[in-house]
Amino acid sequence: MIVRRRRTPVGFATLAALAVAVAILCSVPLLFVTWVAFDSGWAEVATLVFRPKVGELLVNTVLLLAITLPLAISLAVSFAWLVERTDLPGRGLWSWLMVAPLAVPAFVHSYAWSAFAPGFHGLWAAVAVSILAYLPFLYLPVAASLRRLDPALEETAAALGKPPMVVFFRIVLPQLRIAIWGGALLVALHLLAEYGLFVLTRFDTFATAIVDQFQSVYNGPAANLLGGVLVVACLVLLRAESALRGDERYARIGSGSIRRAERQSLGPLRWGAMGLVLIFTLFSLGVPLWTLSRWLWLGGAAIWRLDAVLPALGQTAALALGAALLTTIAAFPIAWLSVRAPSRSQRLLEAAHYYVGALPGVIVALALVTITVRLAPSLYQTMATLVIAYMLMFLPRAVVGLRSSIAQAPPELERAASSLGKRPMVAIARTTLRLAMPGATASTAMVALGIANELTATLMLAPNGTRTLAMRFWAYTAELDFSSAAPYALLMIVLSLPLVVLLRFESRKIGQI
């Protein structure tokens, strides 16, 4: 049932204040880009931004988003429907394999395909590898939402004579809207900010141009003004996602119908459906694992330098888990506001949380470097600054995961707890936060996955002596020493696997709340 919000939610003032504080912190990179533009002057801005190269990058970015997002949405909804709502053989196995590509970093996907098909470059290569690497971001929330839907609505429509396709498009698909657009936004933000994947597929984007600008001539104004274009692109995406998502919530008061929807028979299409999911699995997992196995075989025992491998593993795990927990905590206020109190001001706050996720790590890092050097030298090249960078970059992952889970917790429970004398934050903690815990855990796992594989910001901000798995991997691949890079790629996958298992396990809980 669709319910529109009219009353001021419990705990609104406190959580709004916390969301504003996080938004102010998130504004640092934007203020930095603005300051660079102001300091450069209009003439230089016009020269650097309004030129053919920027137009080419803009066209590439639009094409990448316009092709990748519809394909990814179609595939994610199709796979989720096959696994959750049909008699597809081996559904339990396929549900794991749909999530498993998250354990493989995007740039490892790209390296694997570069070795497997050396001529696979350009736009379509970038689209294909992006879908293989990022599809789980759409599949997970859609599958969780499908498990949560009340089958009575679909059964009623079917009883009124509506054919299955009509039931799906008129009853099921509208209820998946939050999950679809939230996941699509995450994928889009990754496409805007991704660097390693597009370098290896030889497809120019704003992110690759920005990093190349720094690496070649260290031209700060040019790179940062390109970052400003990315900020504008991100705001456009946020506005589109907000409009498509709407402000409705889909929550059930009481136990309702807790039974699972009846699975539909695929009939003669069963084996074709199996072939489709098998092809995706072979492309998303088979190719990376085959390539990695080849690197390890060629390198032999000599490439396992434990004095370098083990410290990199420990530092990566500690940074990923610690920073992910802080990021999820910081994301809760705006995720709660986006569900409980949607408004123009809330959407501005939400945009402040989201836009920084579209910036390449190098822009976020440079902003923090400049701020710490000029205003807080004691924080320059410290773990605190690195953790703040991670939080800024991966807030969108946490917000999307929390938002979908909070949307399924009825606000009436918060009001009931408050009416019984509980303080606002206690009422929220004992009702919504408790029900949203699977989403919070899944968000933490999703953020940790991103941090474990982050590269560019880590290179610029990490204190002396810090060597993460991604940093080691990139150093060897930059020298074309793929065999020596293989152990670090393998350990990134091994480190990510428990997080993927946790993410999948908790996402299934979301559908059972």
Side-chain angles (χ1 to χ4, degrees), residues 186-455:
L186 271 183
V187 174
L189 294 178
H190 278 83
L191 295 179
L192 290 180
E194 178 59 41
Y195 170 69
L197 187 159
F198 298 126
V199 168
L200 295 167
T201 53
R202 300 181 189 176
F203 183 72
D204 291 335
T205 65
F206 282 105
T208 62
I210 290 169
V211 176
D212 289 344
Q213 196 79 44
F214 276 107
Q215 290 179 339
S216 59
V217 296
Y218 204 76
N219 190 337
N224 284 291
L225 289 174
L226 288 177
V229 179
L230 273 186
V231 171
V232 174
C234 177
L235 293 176
V236 171
L237 285 176
L238 289 170
R239 182 67 186 94
E241 188 269 345
S242 179
L244 291 169
R245 184 203 337 150
D247 61 358
E248 291 86 5
R249 65 175 177 89
Y250 302 91
R252 211 168 44 206
I253 301 175
S255 59
S257 174
I258 60 174
R259 57 190 171 83
R260 299 291 296 271
E262 183 178 351
R263 295 191 178 274
Q264 298 185 10
S265 174
L266 291 173
L269 298 177
R270 179 181 302 175
W271 303 111
M274 277 197 65
L276 181 63
V277 293
L278 178 61
I279 289 173
F280 176 80
T281 301
L282 290 176
F283 284 175
S284 62
L285 295 175
V287 171
L289 293 179
W290 179 87
T291 304
L292 184 56
S293 299
R294 178 172 173 268
W295 290 345
L296 292 170
W297 175 263
L298 293 175
I303 61 176
W304 289 92
R305 305 179 181 92
L306 296 183
D307 59 330
V309 169
L310 294 181
L313 176 62
Q315 290 181 356
T316 302
L319 278 171
L321 296 178
L325 180 60
L326 292 175
T327 302
T328 304
I329 293 172
F332 182 83
I334 192 61
W336 184 89
L337 286 174
S338 69
V339 175
R340 295 287 188 257
S343 64
R344 181 172 298 179
S345 59
Q346 170 270 319
R347 285 170 178 163
L348 288 174
L349 282 177
E350 192 174 4
H353 284 66
Y354 270 123
Y355 89 92
V356 73
L359 292 178
V362 66
I363 295 295
V364 176
L366 188 62
L368 292 178
V369 166
T370 303
I371 295 297
T372 54
V373 167
R374 298 191 178 192
L375 301 180
S378 61
L379 293 177
Y380 175 66
Q381 273 198 326
T382 62
M383 283 295 180
T385 304
L386 182 59
V387 168
I388 290 173
Y390 288 152
M391 186 184 74
L392 296 179
M393 294 167 60
F394 295 105
L395 264 177
R397 291 193 184 194
V399 172
V400 168
L402 284 170
R403 191 176 64 194
S404 297
S405 192
I406 292 171
Q408 296 178 6
E412 288 78 10
L413 297 179
E414 297 173 6
R415 299 189 192 116
S418 180
S419 67
L420 293 174
K422 301 296 182 183
R423 292 183 178 180
M425 296 308 298
V426 174
I428 292 172
R430 293 190 177 182
T431 56
T432 297
L433 184 58
R434 187 175 178 181
L435 292 174
M437 191 54 65
T441 305
S443 295
T444 302
M446 192 176 293
V447 172
L449 278 171
I451 294 173
N453 304 324
E454 205 285 324
L455 178 65

Side-chain angles (χ1 to χ4, degrees), residues 103-105 108 288-289 292 453 488-498:
V104 184
V108 174
L289 293 179
L292 184 56
N453 304 324
Y488 299 98
L490 177 63
L491 287 177
M492 278 190 283
I493 294 173
V494 170
L495 180 61
S496 298
L497 278 175

Side-chain angles (χ1 to χ4, degrees), residues 437-439 441-442 501-511:
M437 191 54 65
T441 305
V501 171
L502 178 64
L503 181 60
R504 191 261 186 185
F505 179 71
E506 295 297 336
S507 70
R508 293 192 71 83
K509 282 186 180 179
I510 295 173

